[in-house]
Every structure is written in C-alpha cells, then in structure tokens.
Amino acid sequence: MVDPDNPPPLELHDLTVAYHKKPVLYGIDMAVPKGSLVGIIGPNGAGKSTLIKAIMGLLPASAGWVKVFGEPYKKNCHRVGYVPQRESVDWDFPVNVMDVVLMGRYGHLRIGQRPTKNDKEIAVECLKKVKMLPFAKLQIGNLSGGQQQRVFLARALAQESDLYLMDEPFVGVDAATEAAIVEILRELVTRGKTLLVVHHDLATAKEYFDSLLLLNMRLVAFGPTEEVFTPEILQTTYGGRLTILSEVAQTIGVQKS
Amino acid sequence: MRKSTVGLCLVLLLLVFCQPAEAARISDITETSMTEQVQRFFSLRDPSVRYALLGSILLGACCSLMGSFLIVRKMALMGDALSHAVLPGVALGFLWNMEKDPIAIFIGAVLVGLLGAGTVQLIRNTTRHKEDAALGFVLASFFSVGICLFTMIQNLPSGNRSGLDKFMFGQAAAMGQGDVTLLATVTSVILITILIFFKEFKITSFDAGFAKAYGLRVQLFHYGLMLLLAFAIVSALQAVGVVLVSAMLIIPAAAAYLLTDRLSVMLVLAAIFGMCAGATGAFMSFVGRNLPTGPFMVIAAGAVFAAALFFGPRHGLVSRWWRQRSQTAKIRCENTLKALYRVLEDGDFVQESVTIQEFCEQRRETIEDARQQWKEINKAGFATLRSDAAAFTPDGWQRACEVVRNHRLWELYLTNTANIAADHVHEDAEKVEHILGEDAVRKLERTLNHATRDPHGKLIPSIRDIHAHGTKISAPVRVDDKPTGFGSTKENA
C-alpha cells in the first residue's frame, strides 16, 4: 500500500498509548496521504490529544510505531509543526508576541544559535498572515483567547513544516477568527502541506475538513468526510464507550498501580 | 556582546586569583567607631573587606539569575528545598578531611543537593504525591540530617573551630580567597551558560512540549538548570546561610518579574537587584561588626521587592491606584461638564453661563459639592467661574459635547442594534461614555447612519457642533447665536 519512494507524511501502526498505566488508545493503524486536511473528532476522553502527543513522542507509546515521511519521528521532527492547546502554557510568561513566533524558528537553528535577520523576517510574515503584526510587541497575557490562538498558529507557520499537528486550535476563538484560521489551513493544504487538526465541534467538522478521523479509544473510521460522516459511524463513535473495553482498561490500570 | 561578557568574567577571575593572601579576618578587628568602620569599608583597604564585598556581589548575581528561571518555571519552592537539602553535603564535605576546604564542601553539597532533587522527582513520579508534598518532605528530612551531622562535628575536639556555624545564617566576612574564587567561577559558568543557551532555556521554560516536539532534548536542559542551581546555592551558602539562600534566589528575581515583560530584561534587572542587595548585606554586616550577612542581604532585597510591588510603573500597586484615581477624577470632571451642558440644553442654549442653583438642581446635589466640582473643572481649564455662575471655555465645550455625544450614541446603539429597551440603556451609557475612543465613535456613527437624535429624542452633538461652538465661544458671541448654530449644523448633518 505504501510506496517506498514517496512515503506518506504520517503512518501509524498499532499505536497503543497508556496514560498513568491506563490504556487510552488501542492499536491505531493509519496512513495519512500528502496534502490532506484531517479533522480528528471524537467524544471527550476519546484520546484525541493523546494521539497527536503520542505521534510526537510527548507521551510514550506502549506498543506500535510512528513514521513521519518514512522515518521515525525523531529523525524528521524538523518537518513537523505543532500547535499545542492554549492552556498548556503560562500566558503571564515574560515574552512578547514576536518572541513566541520566533520560537517557531528555533527548530531550524543550531543549539545556542540566535535567530537571524531572515528568521525575524519570516516571523513578521507569519504574524501578518494571522493579522497579529500590530500586537508584535505586546506581552502575550494581554491578548484575548482568539488572539493567543492566532499567535500559536503564527508560530507553527514560522516552523515552515510539511506536516502540522494542531491540538484544538478553535477553542475559545470567535467566529471571525475561526473563519480566518480555516482559510489559513486551506491555504497550507493547497501548498501541499498535510494537516491533522483536533476538533471538538461536530457541526463544523463536516465543512472544514476533507477527511475525518473518528476516534474513541480506538480508530472508529478514517476516510473522506462524505464517506465517514454518516449517522452509523457517528453513532459508533459517540454512542458511549465500548463498555467492556473501558472496563478492562480500568482493571489493567488498577492492577499495574 | 557575548565575547565581551566572557572577557569580563576572565578579568574578574584573574582579579580574584591575584589577591594577596594575607587576609585578616574581620572578626579580629578591635573596637573602632562607626564612621571609621564605614571609611574602612569604602576604602577597601582590607583584603577581607574586598573578599566579603566581591563575594556578596557575585552571589547576588548568580543566585538571582538562577532564581529568575525558577520563578518563570513556577519552581520557586525548589530553590528552598534544594538549599536546605545541601546541608548534609556541607557536613560530609567537612568530614572528608576534617577542614573547611571549599572544594570538598562544594562537591559534597552539590552531590547531596542533586540527590535531594532526584528524590523529589522520584516521589513525584512513583507515588500519587504532587511536587509540593515531595519538596516539603525533602526539605525537612535532609535539613534534619544536616543538623544532626553539624552537631556531631561541633562535638568533635576540633569541631568548634570548624566555622561551620556560619553556614546556618551566613557570614560574608568569613569568606576567604578560596570561597570567592569558587563563587567567581560559578558565577562565570552560570553567566556563560545562560548567554549561550538563552534561547533553549527560554523555550523549555515557556513551552516544554513544543520544544520537545521540534526535537530539543528538554530533560537535558532541565537537569542542566538544576545543576547550575545547585552550584549557585552551594557557593552562596557561606555568605547567606542555608536558611536564607532561597530568599536571595527568589526575591530579586521576583522584583524584576514585576517590572518587565521580557525574560532578557528580567535577568538583567534581577542580577542588578541581587548585586545591590549583596553589597548592602556585606556593608551592614561589616559596619555592624559580625552581624550575620544573610538577613541583611535579604532585607535589602525585600526592600527592592517592596519598591517594585508598590511603585512599579505598570503593575505597581501605587501606580495602579494613581491611574485609577486620575480615571475617577476624569470621570467626575466629565460628569460635571455634562451636567453644565444639559442645563444649557434645557434653556435651548440661550444663556451663556450656568448659575450654581441651576447646576445643583440638575445634579441633585448640595451647593458645597457643586462648588467643589466647579473648582475642579476650573482648574482643568474647562470652565471660567464668575461669582455664582460658570461658563464653558472652548476646551470645556468640546469635552462636554464629546461626552454627551458618546452617551447618546451609545444609548442609541444599544436600543437600535442590541435591541435593549430605551429605559435600560442609561446606566450602561453612563459608564461607556468615558471610555469610548475616537475610532469607536466613528464606527458607531457609521453604524447608526449619523443619526442626530438619541432614543429619548435629544440631539446628538456632531463633530461639527463640537468644533463650531468651540470657536464661537472663544470669540465674543451674541447669546442668541448658539441655538441657530446648533440648528443649522443639524440640518447640514
């Protein structure tokens, strides 16, 4: 299925993740083709964030493997851009908007190397794209939720990656910003980038994404939106957890700790 | 910039090494008067004074640099725990060859300190305890072991000459050449490491997940920081003491955190504050003869923190109170102007000035209050007062028109666009009128199609009214000009 000369941006095989010794993701198998805009949807606790964190090695996988452009993640981490959840950082941290966006360039710099003029120009471009340039000198805590999210997006854009993993970029964002972000995501896709976006809103998922990954502790379905956005599949994804699966997970968790 | 700093560190090191070793201990000094003591301190004649001062300044710098990272990583308590945890290491370092050898004590203390940090990590990772409980446990238990060992050493035949008691509360004067050399080395290492890896320390402190995702070895920098922290604590111990070294880590950095929004500026400010506090501590301790240095340093640092807390330009409590006060004064002033405007409006702008009785009726206030308010607007140049009447100056007229316009525009906006009943909008407009900026007003006017009347049927002054009347009032005008002027602009609009 996989062409060795042209490996897919992301390939997972039997990826299993245990969180605090309790399994939360079971045997995820998938290959994401180049240039797709994938929405990851599923109920709370389905393991959406866990999946993308496990892909990047932020959480240890207990089984299976991840390949990014045909190589283990660590080898190709510079080709991956990341938008973490907004709550994951301290917004009182003494940095301004420009500093944060420049952090997107750090992956391209050697350890100990300062951002160059070129990096700063790229950062300015990315700030322009998300319409945050006027705020460049502002401390990040003074921004609204939507603005903070746009700063994170600008930082990811500055990474100039080929594969983007975004964790809930639409949370706490007003409708106008949401539309602006979607437009930027679409533009990235037309430039041949591959995007995986964790999304919580079923209503908009259908119109935003080309393909959907429905998740509930295991992969329920992955495919083009029109094929997988069906009542039956949604029912399987959202219709409560698989009772036996989560009960067993509970028991394993208790035994291990 | 980096090269020059490295050069500076080298010069510093050389200076320390070149010091003559004849040092007389400050404690040997016989009775002298206070002024003589002060003179001796500032002349830097005694090598011991030089050591004490240089050592204190160095420790102030290195502690506050490390402390800045603790603060932004929300790990302030880690400094406290680590500084107490190194005590057994100090004792073990002494027991190694039964003398106060700075190097042996340094190595012992760093090793035990890292053991303490490791224990915290272990408890956090393997039990259900969170970091605070783990820190509490390590702090107390390691400290107790240290105290037991110290007492043991004191009871040894040579123990009471060990000078180890200085480690509890700190005595800068007890520092010798070896101690200062060690401090200079540690400070240089810390400074150079931070300069080289500033970018990495910043990103791992701000967003470790992101750093790890792009391939940075986050744990390495975390442990590196802990190691540097242990270095700073251990080399500072002798001058500040185990109990208070954490204060020198945290307080100067905390003061700097209140004053700036940039990490780089924060580091520089913290280092300056730390050095000043260190120098002050050394000075007080010398002049006061054998007083412990640590507490004085911490008091000095505390004073800096208090100053930052109260007088910091942006986040300072006094500055904030002052801003709030001037905002309140502005609102009161604008309300007075608005009342004057409404009195004139009720008289169809026939009269030129407002009597105090009319004003009191409008505001439903006592004459005393009204006089006070008039005095304020007079002082601000918004009105001229003549016996019991007030008249607008051009500035005052303009301001009054703007406030009334803001108020009525907002009322209209709420009723028309937000569909709020006309009798509910006044309260909100009372607040909003003072904060609407020019941009917002232009937008409102566009949205409302440059409407001329508010929901209660009152005229909304337009920008032309504001300026037209401003110029007319400054010129000698006939009283009956005003309503005409107002009416004509209305028609134009």
Side-chain angles (χ1 to χ4, degrees), chain B residues 43-66:
Chain B
S43 67
L44 299 177
R45 263 199 324 264
D46 304 304
S48 56
V49 172
R50 288 203 292 269
Y51 288 145
L53 186 63
L54 191 59
S56 305
I57 290 177
L58 285 172
L59 91 86
C62 73
C63 282
S64 43
L65 282 174
M66 293 321 295

PDB file of all heavy atoms in Angstrom, chain B residues 43-66:
ATOM      1  N   SER B  43      37.089  52.306  51.716  1.00  0.00           N
ATOM      2  CA  SER B  43      38.456  52.400  51.189  1.00  0.00           C
ATOM      3  C   SER B  43      38.915  51.064  50.611  1.00  0.00           C
ATOM      4  O   SER B  43      39.854  51.006  49.837  1.00  0.00           O
ATOM      5  CB  SER B  43      39.407  52.843  52.292  1.00  0.00           C
ATOM      6  OG  SER B  43      39.489  51.808  53.262  1.00  0.00           O
ATOM      7  N   LEU B  44      38.225  49.989  50.999  1.00  0.00           N
ATOM      8  CA  LEU B  44      38.574  48.637  50.521  1.00  0.00           C
ATOM      9  C   LEU B  44      40.041  48.301  50.829  1.00  0.00           C
ATOM     10  O   LEU B  44      40.696  47.604  50.073  1.00  0.00           O
ATOM     11  CB  LEU B  44      38.307  48.498  49.012  1.00  0.00           C
ATOM     12  CG  LEU B  44      36.867  48.689  48.557  1.00  0.00           C
ATOM     13  CD1 LEU B  44      36.779  48.601  47.043  1.00  0.00           C
ATOM     14  CD2 LEU B  44      35.955  47.642  49.180  1.00  0.00           C
ATOM     15  N   ARG B  45      40.546  48.863  51.951  1.00  0.00           N
ATOM     16  CA  ARG B  45      41.938  48.602  52.332  1.00  0.00           C
ATOM     17  C   ARG B  45      42.149  47.139  52.679  1.00  0.00           C
ATOM     18  O   ARG B  45      43.086  46.514  52.221  1.00  0.00           O
ATOM     19  CB  ARG B  45      42.309  49.462  53.551  1.00  0.00           C
ATOM     20  CG  ARG B  45      43.031  50.747  53.220  1.00  0.00           C
ATOM     21  CD  ARG B  45      43.749  51.292  54.436  1.00  0.00           C
ATOM     22  NE  ARG B  45      43.051  51.085  55.688  1.00  0.00           N
ATOM     23  CZ  ARG B  45      42.260  52.015  56.268  1.00  0.00           C
ATOM     24  NH1 ARG B  45      42.089  53.178  55.693  1.00  0.00           N
ATOM     25  NH2 ARG B  45      41.657  51.776  57.419  1.00  0.00           N
ATOM     26  N   ASP B  46      41.232  46.611  53.505  1.00  0.00           N
ATOM     27  CA  ASP B  46      41.431  45.245  53.986  1.00  0.00           C
ATOM     28  C   ASP B  46      41.061  44.242  52.924  1.00  0.00           C
ATOM     29  O   ASP B  46      40.003  44.349  52.319  1.00  0.00           O
ATOM     30  CB  ASP B  46      40.542  44.978  55.200  1.00  0.00           C
ATOM     31  CG  ASP B  46      40.798  45.973  56.274  1.00  0.00           C
ATOM     32  OD1 ASP B  46      41.955  46.099  56.696  1.00  0.00           O
ATOM     33  OD2 ASP B  46      39.832  46.674  56.653  1.00  0.00           O
ATOM     34  N   PRO B  47      41.901  43.259  52.722  1.00  0.00           N
ATOM     35  CA  PRO B  47      41.533  42.198  51.776  1.00  0.00           C
ATOM     36  C   PRO B  47      40.232  41.527  52.202  1.00  0.00           C
ATOM     37  O   PRO B  47      39.418  41.162  51.360  1.00  0.00           O
ATOM     38  CB  PRO B  47      42.691  41.210  51.852  1.00  0.00           C
ATOM     39  CG  PRO B  47      43.775  41.894  52.588  1.00  0.00           C
ATOM     40  CD  PRO B  47      43.205  43.030  53.349  1.00  0.00           C
ATOM     41  N   SER B  48      40.029  41.400  53.510  1.00  0.00           N
ATOM     42  CA  SER B  48      38.816  40.708  53.953  1.00  0.00           C
ATOM     43  C   SER B  48      37.564  41.473  53.522  1.00  0.00           C
ATOM     44  O   SER B  48      36.561  40.871  53.156  1.00  0.00           O
ATOM     45  CB  SER B  48      38.829  40.536  55.463  1.00  0.00           C
ATOM     46  OG  SER B  48      38.982  41.791  56.069  1.00  0.00           O
ATOM     47  N   VAL B  49      37.657  42.801  53.554  1.00  0.00           N
ATOM     48  CA  VAL B  49      36.512  43.590  53.099  1.00  0.00           C
ATOM     49  C   VAL B  49      36.299  43.357  51.614  1.00  0.00           C
ATOM     50  O   VAL B  49      35.179  43.179  51.144  1.00  0.00           O
ATOM     51  CB  VAL B  49      36.738  45.089  53.376  1.00  0.00           C
ATOM     52  CG1 VAL B  49      35.638  45.915  52.729  1.00  0.00           C
ATOM     53  CG2 VAL B  49      36.792  45.348  54.859  1.00  0.00           C
ATOM     54  N   ARG B  50      37.418  43.334  50.890  1.00  0.00           N
ATOM     55  CA  ARG B  50      37.297  43.102  49.445  1.00  0.00           C
ATOM     56  C   ARG B  50      36.656  41.753  49.159  1.00  0.00           C
ATOM     57  O   ARG B  50      35.773  41.638  48.329  1.00  0.00           O
ATOM     58  CB  ARG B  50      38.675  43.182  48.781  1.00  0.00           C
ATOM     59  CG  ARG B  50      39.229  44.592  48.717  1.00  0.00           C
ATOM     60  CD  ARG B  50      40.261  44.704  47.615  1.00  0.00           C
ATOM     61  NE  ARG B  50      41.469  43.949  47.890  1.00  0.00           N
ATOM     62  CZ  ARG B  50      42.533  44.444  48.514  1.00  0.00           C
ATOM     63  NH1 ARG B  50      42.518  45.693  48.921  1.00  0.00           N
ATOM     64  NH2 ARG B  50      43.603  43.711  48.734  1.00  0.00           N
ATOM     65  N   TYR B  51      37.114  40.728  49.865  1.00  0.00           N
ATOM     66  CA  TYR B  51      36.535  39.389  49.658  1.00  0.00           C
ATOM     67  C   TYR B  51      35.054  39.392  49.969  1.00  0.00           C
ATOM     68  O   TYR B  51      34.231  38.862  49.217  1.00  0.00           O
ATOM     69  CB  TYR B  51      37.232  38.354  50.544  1.00  0.00           C
ATOM     70  CG  TYR B  51      38.623  38.014  50.096  1.00  0.00           C
ATOM     71  CD1 TYR B  51      39.625  37.720  51.019  1.00  0.00           C
ATOM     72  CD2 TYR B  51      38.942  37.970  48.742  1.00  0.00           C
ATOM     73  CE1 TYR B  51      40.903  37.401  50.611  1.00  0.00           C
ATOM     74  CE2 TYR B  51      40.211  37.664  48.330  1.00  0.00           C
ATOM     75  CZ  TYR B  51      41.197  37.388  49.270  1.00  0.00           C
ATOM     76  OH  TYR B  51      42.440  37.078  48.862  1.00  0.00           O
ATOM     77  N   ALA B  52      34.725  39.981  51.124  1.00  0.00           N
ATOM     78  CA  ALA B  52      33.322  39.957  51.551  1.00  0.00           C
ATOM     79  C   ALA B  52      32.445  40.670  50.530  1.00  0.00           C
ATOM     80  O   ALA B  52      31.398  40.159  50.122  1.00  0.00           O
ATOM     81  CB  ALA B  52      33.180  40.612  52.919  1.00  0.00           C
ATOM     82  N   LEU B  53      32.904  41.847  50.088  1.00  0.00           N
ATOM     83  CA  LEU B  53      32.099  42.634  49.158  1.00  0.00           C
ATOM     84  C   LEU B  53      31.982  41.940  47.802  1.00  0.00           C
ATOM     85  O   LEU B  53      30.883  41.734  47.275  1.00  0.00           O
ATOM     86  CB  LEU B  53      32.718  44.021  48.988  1.00  0.00           C
ATOM     87  CG  LEU B  53      31.901  44.993  48.147  1.00  0.00           C
ATOM     88  CD1 LEU B  53      30.568  45.273  48.812  1.00  0.00           C
ATOM     89  CD2 LEU B  53      32.653  46.290  47.937  1.00  0.00           C
ATOM     90  N   LEU B  54      33.130  41.524  47.271  1.00  0.00           N
ATOM     91  CA  LEU B  54      33.127  40.883  45.961  1.00  0.00           C
ATOM     92  C   LEU B  54      32.293  39.602  45.999  1.00  0.00           C
ATOM     93  O   LEU B  54      31.463  39.344  45.118  1.00  0.00           O
ATOM     94  CB  LEU B  54      34.569  40.574  45.544  1.00  0.00           C
ATOM     95  CG  LEU B  54      34.769  40.133  44.100  1.00  0.00           C
ATOM     96  CD1 LEU B  54      34.275  41.218  43.156  1.00  0.00           C
ATOM     97  CD2 LEU B  54      36.241  39.849  43.838  1.00  0.00           C
ATOM     98  N   GLY B  55      32.501  38.818  47.074  1.00  0.00           N
ATOM     99  CA  GLY B  55      31.751  37.569  47.221  1.00  0.00           C
ATOM    100  C   GLY B  55      30.260  37.827  47.267  1.00  0.00           C
ATOM    101  O   GLY B  55      29.478  37.157  46.587  1.00  0.00           O
ATOM    102  N   SER B  56      29.855  38.832  48.054  1.00  0.00           N
ATOM    103  CA  SER B  56      28.423  39.106  48.193  1.00  0.00           C
ATOM    104  C   SER B  56      27.821  39.547  46.872  1.00  0.00           C
ATOM    105  O   SER B  56      26.706  39.148  46.519  1.00  0.00           O
ATOM    106  CB  SER B  56      28.201  40.198  49.232  1.00  0.00           C
ATOM    107  OG  SER B  56      28.812  39.834  50.436  1.00  0.00           O
ATOM    108  N   ILE B  57      28.556  40.385  46.139  1.00  0.00           N
ATOM    109  CA  ILE B  57      28.036  40.860  44.851  1.00  0.00           C
ATOM    110  C   ILE B  57      27.903  39.695  43.874  1.00  0.00           C
ATOM    111  O   ILE B  57      26.882  39.528  43.200  1.00  0.00           O
ATOM    112  CB  ILE B  57      28.958  41.959  44.279  1.00  0.00           C
ATOM    113  CG1 ILE B  57      28.829  43.218  45.136  1.00  0.00           C
ATOM    114  CG2 ILE B  57      28.623  42.260  42.842  1.00  0.00           C
ATOM    115  CD1 ILE B  57      29.742  44.341  44.728  1.00  0.00           C
ATOM    116  N   LEU B  58      28.929  38.839  43.853  1.00  0.00           N
ATOM    117  CA  LEU B  58      28.890  37.692  42.944  1.00  0.00           C
ATOM    118  C   LEU B  58      27.722  36.777  43.279  1.00  0.00           C
ATOM    119  O   LEU B  58      26.999  36.312  42.395  1.00  0.00           O
ATOM    120  CB  LEU B  58      30.209  36.916  43.029  1.00  0.00           C
ATOM    121  CG  LEU B  58      31.399  37.560  42.341  1.00  0.00           C
ATOM    122  CD1 LEU B  58      32.674  36.799  42.672  1.00  0.00           C
ATOM    123  CD2 LEU B  58      31.182  37.578  40.839  1.00  0.00           C
ATOM    124  N   LEU B  59      27.545  36.528  44.573  1.00  0.00           N
ATOM    125  CA  LEU B  59      26.479  35.578  44.925  1.00  0.00           C
ATOM    126  C   LEU B  59      25.121  36.189  44.622  1.00  0.00           C
ATOM    127  O   LEU B  59      24.199  35.484  44.201  1.00  0.00           O
ATOM    128  CB  LEU B  59      26.611  35.149  46.386  1.00  0.00           C
ATOM    129  CG  LEU B  59      25.884  35.934  47.479  1.00  0.00           C
ATOM    130  CD1 LEU B  59      24.469  35.417  47.620  1.00  0.00           C
ATOM    131  CD2 LEU B  59      26.619  35.777  48.779  1.00  0.00           C
ATOM    132  N   GLY B  60      25.015  37.523  44.814  1.00  0.00           N
ATOM    133  CA  GLY B  60      23.762  38.181  44.461  1.00  0.00           C
ATOM    134  C   GLY B  60      23.447  37.980  42.996  1.00  0.00           C
ATOM    135  O   GLY B  60      22.316  37.673  42.621  1.00  0.00           O
ATOM    136  N   ALA B  61      24.467  38.110  42.153  1.00  0.00           N
ATOM    137  CA  ALA B  61      24.256  37.967  40.712  1.00  0.00           C
ATOM    138  C   ALA B  61      23.879  36.534  40.357  1.00  0.00           C
ATOM    139  O   ALA B  61      22.882  36.300  39.677  1.00  0.00           O
ATOM    140  CB  ALA B  61      25.511  38.391  39.964  1.00  0.00           C
ATOM    141  N   CYS B  62      24.663  35.556  40.836  1.00  0.00           N
ATOM    142  CA  CYS B  62      24.415  34.189  40.357  1.00  0.00           C
ATOM    143  C   CYS B  62      23.110  33.633  40.921  1.00  0.00           C
ATOM    144  O   CYS B  62      22.362  32.960  40.228  1.00  0.00           O
ATOM    145  CB  CYS B  62      25.611  33.265  40.608  1.00  0.00           C
ATOM    146  SG  CYS B  62      25.851  32.793  42.297  1.00  0.00           S
ATOM    147  N   CYS B  63      22.800  33.978  42.189  1.00  0.00           N
ATOM    148  CA  CYS B  63      21.546  33.478  42.761  1.00  0.00           C
ATOM    149  C   CYS B  63      20.341  34.067  42.034  1.00  0.00           C
ATOM    150  O   CYS B  63      19.398  33.358  41.706  1.00  0.00           O
ATOM    151  CB  CYS B  63      21.450  33.837  44.238  1.00  0.00           C
ATOM    152  SG  CYS B  63      22.431  32.759  45.261  1.00  0.00           S
ATOM    153  N   SER B  64      20.374  35.371  41.764  1.00  0.00           N
ATOM    154  CA  SER B  64      19.176  35.956  41.169  1.00  0.00           C
ATOM    155  C   SER B  64      19.010  35.529  39.713  1.00  0.00           C
ATOM    156  O   SER B  64      17.883  35.441  39.227  1.00  0.00           O
ATOM    157  CB  SER B  64      19.182  37.476  41.309  1.00  0.00           C
ATOM    158  OG  SER B  64      20.453  37.982  41.028  1.00  0.00           O
ATOM    159  N   LEU B  65      20.116  35.251  39.024  1.00  0.00           N
ATOM    160  CA  LEU B  65      19.991  34.741  37.651  1.00  0.00           C
ATOM    161  C   LEU B  65      19.276  33.392  37.661  1.00  0.00           C
ATOM    162  O   LEU B  65      18.337  33.152  36.891  1.00  0.00           O
ATOM    163  CB  LEU B  65      21.375  34.586  37.004  1.00  0.00           C
ATOM    164  CG  LEU B  65      22.038  35.871  36.508  1.00  0.00           C
ATOM    165  CD1 LEU B  65      23.443  35.590  36.021  1.00  0.00           C
ATOM    166  CD2 LEU B  65      21.208  36.504  35.408  1.00  0.00           C
ATOM    167  N   MET B  66      19.728  32.497  38.544  1.00  0.00           N
ATOM    168  CA  MET B  66      19.082  31.182  38.612  1.00  0.00           C
ATOM    169  C   MET B  66      17.643  31.323  39.105  1.00  0.00           C
ATOM    170  O   MET B  66      16.743  30.634  38.641  1.00  0.00           O
ATOM    171  CB  MET B  66      19.860  30.250  39.552  1.00  0.00           C
ATOM    172  CG  MET B  66      21.230  29.853  39.065  1.00  0.00           C
ATOM    173  SD  MET B  66      21.315  29.535  37.299  1.00  0.00           S
ATOM    174  CE  MET B  66      20.268  28.130  37.121  1.00  0.00           C
TER     175      MET B  66
END
